Amino acid sequence: MPTLSAFPPLRRRRGSAPITGVESSGRLPDRGIAASGLEAAEVAVFRSKPRAGLVELDAHGRAMFDLPTSGAIATGELLARVVEWDRERLAAALAAPSADASFCIEVRVQPREAPGRMLLCRGRGAQGVFIDITERPSSDLRAEYALRRNSDPEPQAAGMAERDRLWRYSRDIILVMDTDGIGLAANPALTRILGWLPEEIVGLDVLELIHPEDHETVLTALADVLNRDNSVPPEPSADSDVFEIRCQHKSGRYEWISWVAGYEGAEGRTLYATGRLISGEKAAAAELVLAQEALRQSQKLEAMGQLTGGVAHDFNNLLTPIIGGLDMLQRHEVGGEREQRLIDGALQSAERAKVLVQRLLAFARRQPLQPAAIDITALFSGMKELIASTAGPRIRIEFDVETDLAPARADANQLEMALLNLAVNARDAMPNGGLLAISAGLREVLADNRHSLAPGEYVLIGVADTGVGMDEETLRRCVEPFFSTKGVGRGTGLGLSMVHGLASQLGGALEIESAAGRGSRFTLWLPASQRLDHQATGPLAAPEARPVRGLALVVDDEDLVRASTADMLAELGYDVIEASCA
């Protein structure tokens, strides 16, 4: 894997060697063999006099700038021959701030009559040379000058100003660095996006600002850029030229930046990269993935519910004649003691199968419910002893119910079963003991909520434990029917699915929060009721005596169910009429 340092570093222009052709006295050389050699090499010698505002220039130099053939040249007149966007740099060089200061710049000359030229100005202190590099292919700026030298300076100056505005106002980061990955310059967008000032990047290894896991991506991408033929520009939409990495904000956090890089120069290459902030897009994409996963899970549970409901309904039809027949055999004491024991065992298994079918129907939201206004405080009081005996002595139980809590709209029997299932799960999650906290409160739900509940008041019943908790995979599948982590023979895997189905059928929701090693919390959202269905608490009056015999109409499309029901009614003394449809 090549690193950036494997490529030729950017060549920086530092102090120059003494200029050939300038005498130590500072005087311009006499014309002769030396001067002829300078002319042949397209070199002109000059000496600047900043205090007097003059420049001494040899004949060849005067010709380069299309100036008079004799006399000192005013600095302003010389600068007037240089295109506007290069005047400031040449003026600074001619100002000669100190005798030891060296300079090496490129300027574009546009005389009044002579053809335009590109000159390399090199010198030290107040003296130096102009070298004509207009036709030299080694100059990186020759092509640019060829496009500009016959143009009006004013539009060109406007173009330079426009590029300066793009540099300053671009909302994307523009980064310049050498092939060793050392920052050379950055535009102000760096501060807006990553908080760093542009001057803080200069001289800094850019890898220091990149997430360690993304270093390999950066090195590979920049190596590909440097190995690419720069004469063939890449397609703007080519994904291979785009790499996304995490860059450190000055505050310490990391932001996702999408970069596109290229280089300039043939030997000493300079890397240019533009970076666009995509942290928001990354976050939105992650949220979309989670939403799609939640939708798939919801569709999966819906499909499983439809399948489970159909199977449970058929099982219920099969169990009805079995339970009815066994009940009749038991009541008639058919057979001896051994036969009665076998009938009793079969009846118990059938009853367990009946409970299993009820849980399946609850998950599928197809169980018959009798919703009423339930006093949660009274419900908790009635279940305290049952929950305590189920949890065992090693688990501490706490109940917390808000005062004046509104009743919940639910089926009392099914709600008791749901709470018992949650308590059993909590007990199994705390094999070494712990805390089981059961609470109830009232919450207002607005139209836009994460559970897609209808607006209104809801009673929240919470069951929290300090057990082993669930990892992400278990949490994702915990409400699936027959999914269990308790092992074979220790559970049906229908407890949570039954609670989930009950809450949905009542118009509420089941919220689950859990993490491995941090326990779990199950919150049951149930619609609140405005009134309490009071039941008579006094002694029940004896029912009025009525004759047992009567006429009963039994309608069922399942023959075995209809026949067993008719036999039981007939045994009770009813005349029965059977029908297979309404």
Side-chain angles (χ1 to χ4, degrees):
M1 174 67 216
T3 62
L4 290 181
S5 58
F7 299 94
L10 178 67
R11 294 181 177 176
R12 298 176 177 83
R13 287 174 178 148
R14 305 188 186 277
S16 304
I19 306 300
T20 302
V22 180
E23 297 178 349
S24 59
S25 64
R27 295 189 307 237
L28 295 182
D30 295 332
R31 298 198 55 85
I33 298 176
S36 299
L38 291 175
E39 286 189 19
E42 296 290 328
V43 176
V45 182
F46 73 88
R47 184 174 63 192
S48 175
K49 296 182 177 180
R51 293 183 179 180
L54 300 174
V55 177
E56 291 184 358
L57 196 62
D58 66 6
H60 187 53
R62 294 169 182 271
M64 286 181 178
F65 286 89
D66 191 19
L67 293 169
T69 58
S70 63
I73 306 299
T75 303
E77 188 177 359
L78 179 68
L79 293 176
R81 299 293 191 267
V82 178
V83 295
E84 183 178 356
W85 55 88
D86 286 340
R87 290 174 188 168
E88 186 176 350
R89 291 190 297 162
L90 181 57
L94 296 177
S98 69
D100 295 330
S102 62
F103 50 88
C104 182
I105 60 173
E106 290 168 327
V107 295
R108 300 133 177 101
V109 179
Q110 185 60 61
R112 289 172 295 188
E113 298 179 1
R117 297 170 180 267
M118 176 175 285
L119 303 180
L120 179 65
C121 179
R122 300 184 62 180
R124 182 186 298 274
Q127 57 192 17
V129 294
F130 289 108
I131 305 173
D132 192 340
I133 60 172
T134 305
E135 302 302 329
R136 295 186 184 182
S138 59
S139 172
D140 295 336
L141 300 177
R142 187 177 64 83
E144 178 187 354
Y145 176 67
L147 294 175
R148 294 182 176 182
R149 61 184 176 183
N150 294 322
S151 302
D152 187 354
E154 292 185 3
Q156 297 305 324
M160 295 291 287
E162 180 66 23
R163 278 189 292 276
D164 182 61
R165 282 193 294 270
L166 290 174
W167 173 268
R168 288 185 289 115
Y169 298 139
S170 172
R171 298 187 63 81
D172 293 338
I173 299 173
I174 304 175
L175 179 63
V176 185
M177 56 186 170
D178 65 15
T179 52
D180 291 325
I182 304 300
L184 302 177
N187 70 331
L190 179 73
T191 305
R192 184 183 63 83
I193 295 177
L194 293 177
W196 301 97
L197 296 175
E199 54 266 27
E200 292 178 302
I201 299 300
V202 178
L204 181 70
D205 187 345
V206 296
L207 284 180
E208 295 181 15
L209 301 182
I210 296 171
H211 196 285
E213 296 178 2
D214 295 334
H215 283 187
E216 191 72 16
T217 301
V218 175
L219 293 174
T220 302
L222 295 184
D224 290 342
V225 168
L226 291 169
N227 287 327
R228 189 173 59 207
D229 183 3
N230 200 35
S231 63
V232 181
E235 293 292 333
S237 60
D239 293 337
S240 60
D241 296 312
V242 179
F243 56 99
E244 298 175 354
I245 56 174
R246 288 159 290 182
C247 297
Q248 188 178 36
H249 192 276
K250 194 170 185 178
S251 63
R253 70 177 188 272
Y254 282 93
E255 298 283 3
W256 279 98
I257 307 291
S258 176
W259 293 94
V260 179
Y263 72 87
E264 289 292 339
E267 297 179 359
R269 289 176 283 190
T270 305
L271 287 165
Y272 297 85
T274 59
R276 181 172 60 88
L277 180 65
I278 58 171
S279 294
E281 298 175 16
K282 286 282 187 180
E287 291 179 1
L288 179 61
V289 170
L290 292 177
Q292 290 174 339
E293 180 61 26
L295 177 60
R296 282 193 293 268
Q297 184 71 4
S298 176
Q299 292 173 337
K300 176 182 176 182
L301 291 177
E302 188 67 27
M304 293 178 68
Q306 294 178 359
L307 175 63
T308 303
V311 172
H313 179 74
D314 291 339
F315 266 54
N316 202 39
N317 288 338
L318 296 174
L319 282 173
T320 299
I322 292 175
I323 295 175
L326 290 173
D327 183 65
M328 289 180 64
L329 292 176
Q330 188 181 52
R331 285 190 292 106
H332 284 289
E333 298 182 353
V334 175
E337 181 180 351
R338 180 173 179 274
E339 287 76 14
Q340 280 294 306
R341 189 168 62 252
L342 292 174
I343 292 173
D344 183 63
L347 191 58
Q348 290 182 23
S349 296
E351 288 292 342
R352 290 176 60 187
K354 177 183 176 182
V355 173
L356 182 63
V357 168
Q358 287 177 345
R359 291 185 176 183
L360 289 173
L361 288 173
F363 168 73
R365 306 174 222 171
R366 294 173 60 175
Q367 64 174 336
L369 296 178
Q370 296 178 344
I374 306 300
D375 185 349
I376 299 300
T377 303
L379 183 74
F380 282 3
S381 298
M383 294 188 67
K384 278 185 178 180
E385 293 184 3
L386 176 61
I387 292 177
S389 61
T390 301
R394 304 183 67 178
I395 295 177
R396 182 164 56 93
I397 303 174
E398 293 182 356
F399 287 89
D400 181 18
V401 183
E402 290 183 3
T403 56
D404 299 328
L405 181 65
R409 192 73 181 171
D411 184 302
N413 293 329
Q414 295 297 328
L415 183 55
E416 288 178 354
M417 184 179 294
L419 289 175
L420 190 59
N421 281 329
L422 294 176
V424 169
N425 286 343
R427 177 202 65 190
D428 294 341
M430 297 184 288
N432 299 321
L435 172 65
L436 173 60
I438 301 176
S439 60
L442 192 67
R443 296 292 182 276
E444 180 77 19
V445 172
L446 302 179
D448 186 12
N449 58 85
R450 63 179 182 275
H451 298 301
S452 300
L453 298 173
E457 290 186 333
Y458 285 79
V459 175
L460 272 63
I461 300 177
V463 179
D465 64 67
T466 57
V468 296
M470 294 181 282
D471 56 27
E472 292 184 2
E473 177 64 17
T474 303
L475 183 62
R476 187 176 61 85
R477 300 186 57 195
C478 64
V479 297
E480 293 181 8
F482 304 110
F483 176 78
S484 176
T485 59
K486 299 179 181 179
V488 179
R490 297 193 57 193
T492 61
L494 289 172
L496 283 181
S497 62
M498 172 261 178
V499 179
H500 174 267
L502 174 65
S504 299
Q505 192 172 0
L506 290 171
L510 175 64
E511 181 179 0
I512 306 174
E513 301 170 87
S514 183
R518 298 184 180 180
S520 303
R521 178 178 180 83
F522 301 86
T523 305
L524 197 60
W525 296 67
L526 299 174
S529 178
Q530 299 301 321
R531 63 180 181 83
L532 186 63
D533 292 342
H534 296 283
Q535 297 179 350
T537 56
L540 297 177
E544 183 181 351
R546 294 182 180 180
V548 176
R549 288 188 63 85
L551 181 64
L553 172 64
V554 179
V555 183
D556 200 292
D557 59 350
E558 187 70 31
D559 294 340
L560 292 177
V561 174
R562 188 175 66 251
S564 62
T565 304
D567 290 341
M568 287 187 286
L569 289 172
E571 188 176 348
L572 293 174
Y574 286 88
D575 292 330
V576 181
I577 300 176
E578 298 183 37
S580 61
C581 64

